[in-house]
């Protein structure tokens, strides 16, 4: 294995991070996980080991602690960084904005300062389609759509994060940067060995669906049923977490080729799916009748948004491989496996 391709993965024990670790190893990179299990489960490294055949290198650290983080950079020569470490619950960010601004921005700034100081060439940032806000008439969003007004402090940390990255790049820092704007990651590793570990009650749809089906939660609430969509429920672009993981590998490989400077790239399927459709697909695959009801709309919920992913297709040669049905099946396999662990 080429140890010149060490990749620091901050927040690498989280949902998207853990799946990206497996994809990096498959592509010949040596990922090093930096995490403090604040938003992850401590069993994740050993679960990854069962997939990749060895225990990934893991460093217990809070990226907001710059001195501790600096020691990591002193001990390793990184070929690149993937920065996931951030809080991500929209509702919680409205309630505790300062917690989100401090953690998400300070963690990013510390990591960037050290990347520049230690001359790390390539940086991939975990951004979000929340930077588009409510896209108005345009449901299919491209990267050149002007960033909207963030519907939450969480979304605003991603907008500010991208501004910071752009300014760092323009400062002749020597850092090549890709900001990946995720749409709605769902599913689990096809092996069923890793998946989403929601801390407390999930904010995301599919873990609520599978958790309700298995009896963890009494009932699923669908927020709003009179939106101007095909069935009155919100429309999202659901992307399999392994397709998203592969996009990070493709982004790193693109940066390694020396072609890029600063790019923002959507990562989605290019298709919108309603909440009710996800429920119907789940019921068909699992043969479980879900206990669900309609509830009031949630403030800040975007009505309909999905990615125009042409840039990822052309620039990164990235195409999603998994269907919505695959994602739902893998998430259900994972939920059932968790029950038996």
């Amino acid at each position: 294995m080429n140890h010149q391709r060490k990749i620091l993965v901050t927040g690498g024990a989280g949902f998207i991070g853990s799946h990206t670790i497996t994809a990096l190893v498959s592509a010949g990179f040596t990922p090093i996980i930096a995490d403090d299990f604040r938003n992850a489960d401590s069993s994740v490294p050993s679960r990854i080991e069962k997939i990749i055949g060895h225990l990934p290198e893991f460093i217990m650290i809070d990226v907001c602690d710059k001195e501790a983080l600096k020691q990591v950079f002193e001990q390793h020569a990184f070929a690149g960084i993937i920065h996931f470490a951030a809080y991500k619950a929209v509702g919680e960010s409205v309630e505790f904005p300062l917690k989100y601004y401090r953690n998400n921005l300070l963690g990013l700034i510390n990591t960037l300062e050290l990347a520049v100081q230690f001359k790390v060439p390539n940086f991939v940032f975990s951004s979000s389609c929340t930077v588009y806000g409510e896209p108005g008439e345009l449901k299919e969003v491209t990267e050149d759509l002007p960033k909207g007004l963030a519907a939450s402090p969480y979304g605003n940390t991603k907008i500010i994060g991208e501004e910071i990255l752009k300014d760092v790049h323009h400062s002749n820092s020597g850092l090549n940067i890709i900001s990946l704007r995720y749409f709605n990651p769902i599913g689990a590793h096809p092996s069923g060995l890793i998946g989403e570990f929601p801390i407390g009650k999930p904010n995301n749809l599919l873990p609520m669906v599978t958790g309700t089906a298995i009896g963890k939660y009494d009932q699923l609430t669908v927020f709003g049923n009179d939106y101007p969509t095909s069935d009155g429920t919100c429309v999202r672009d659901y992307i399999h977490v392994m397709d998203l993981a592969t996009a990070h590998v493709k982004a790193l490989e693109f940066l390694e080729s020396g072609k890029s400077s600063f790019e923002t790239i959507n990562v989605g399927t290019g298709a919108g799916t309603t909440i009710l459709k996800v429920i119907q697909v789940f019921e068909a695959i699992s043969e479980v009748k879900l206990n669900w009801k309609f509830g009031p709309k949630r403030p800040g919920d975007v009505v309909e948004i999905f990615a125009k992913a042409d840039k990822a297709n052309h620039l990164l040669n990235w195409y999603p491989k998994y269907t919505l049905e695959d994602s739902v099946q893998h998430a259900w396999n994972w939920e059932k496996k968790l029950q038996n662990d």
Side-chain angles (χ1 to χ4, degrees):
M1 195 174 286
N2 181 357
H3 288 281
Q4 297 313 302
R5 295 175 89 205
K6 275 188 187 178
I7 307 299
L8 175 65
V9 186
T10 68
F15 174 42
I16 302 164
S18 59
H19 291 77
T20 301
I21 297 297
T22 69
L24 285 166
V25 171
S26 295
F29 291 97
T30 305
I32 297 181
I33 300 171
D35 207 311
D36 63 1
F37 295 124
R38 199 180 311 174
N39 268 337
D41 192 276
S42 59
S43 69
V44 167
S46 61
R47 290 173 182 276
I48 292 172
E49 180 182 15
K50 289 177 183 154
I51 298 170
I52 66 175
H54 63 272
L55 197 64
E57 184 164 349
F58 175 83
I59 299 164
M60 183 86 166
I61 192 170
D62 174 2
V63 294
C64 289
D65 181 344
K66 191 178 174 187
E67 282 311 305
L69 190 58
K70 185 178 181 185
Q71 290 175 12
V72 176
F73 279 81
E74 287 168 346
Q75 289 158 8
H76 300 278
F78 293 116
I81 295 168
I82 302 178
H83 185 68
F84 291 110
Y87 291 138
K88 63 179 189 341
V90 170
E92 185 190 43
S93 77
V94 174
E95 200 176 343
F96 303 107
L98 291 175
K99 173 181 173 179
Y100 272 67
Y101 285 117
R102 168 178 286 280
N103 183 69
N104 292 10
L105 298 178
L106 185 58
L108 173 63
I109 290 165
N110 285 348
T111 309
L112 281 170
E113 282 181 341
L114 291 165
V116 172
Q117 183 182 339
F118 286 87
K119 296 185 167 49
V120 180
N122 303 319
F123 194 96
V124 178
F125 178 59
S126 162
S127 190
S128 166
C129 64
T130 56
V131 301
Y132 297 117
E134 176 65 72
E137 291 305 301
L138 195 72
K139 310 303 181 194
E140 184 186 44
V141 295
T142 62
E143 292 84 357
D144 52 12
L145 182 77
K147 291 200 278 284
L149 286 170
S152 68
Y154 160 73
N156 208 26
T157 66
K158 294 301 183 185
I159 291 175
I160 296 166
E162 286 196 358
E163 293 297 321
I164 291 170
L165 289 166
K166 195 163 62 177
D167 290 341
V168 168
H169 173 70
H170 287 327
S171 70
N172 299 317
S173 62
L175 206 56
N176 288 317
I177 299 165
I178 289 180
S179 181
L180 294 179
R181 293 174 175 171
Y182 313 162
F183 280 68
N184 293 71
I186 57 170
H189 196 274
S191 67
L193 290 164
I194 53 173
E196 195 161 2
F197 273 107
I199 310 290
K201 203 167 183 182
N203 292 290
N204 299 338
L205 175 64
L206 205 50
M208 263 314 286
V209 167
T210 59
T212 303
I214 214 149
K216 261 192 222 170
Y217 316 112
D218 295 335
Q219 192 173 46
L220 169 73
T221 301
V222 175
F223 300 102
N225 65 347
D226 61 350
Y227 286 106
T229 60
S230 61
D231 60 23
T233 63
C234 289
V235 170
R236 295 289 180 268
D237 187 336
Y238 294 103
I239 177 168
H240 194 292
V241 66
M242 282 309 298
D243 282 331
L244 181 53
T246 303
H248 290 79
V249 173
K250 295 275 193 184
L252 271 180
E253 289 172 341
F254 180 82
L255 290 173
E256 280 191 333
S257 71
K259 290 178 192 163
S260 180
S261 46
F262 177 81
E263 300 285 353
T264 53
I265 301 177
N266 286 340
V267 189
T269 65
T273 305
T274 66
I275 308 289
L276 285 192
K277 171 74 172 172
V278 174
I279 291 171
Q280 287 158 6
V281 168
F282 175 79
E283 289 184 335
I285 282 171
S286 67
E287 299 179 344
V288 173
K289 189 81 185 104
L290 207 58
N291 180 23
W292 68 273
K293 64 170 185 182
F294 284 117
K297 292 178 179 177
R298 288 184 300 193
D301 265 352
V302 171
V303 178
E304 181 172 358
I305 187 168
F306 51 95
K308 189 164 177 61
D310 293 12
K311 192 171 179 183
N313 303 157
H314 300 145
L315 209 60
L316 304 182
N317 192 28
W318 172 88
Y319 296 87
K321 142 179 164 187
Y322 294 102
T323 63
L324 176 66
E325 287 74 13
D326 293 332
S327 299
V328 169
Q329 182 70 68
H330 293 158
W332 182 227
N333 293 349
W334 163 245
E335 187 72 72
K336 289 186 291 187
K337 184 172 190 322
L338 266 184
Q339 285 296 104
N340 299 323
D341 275 4

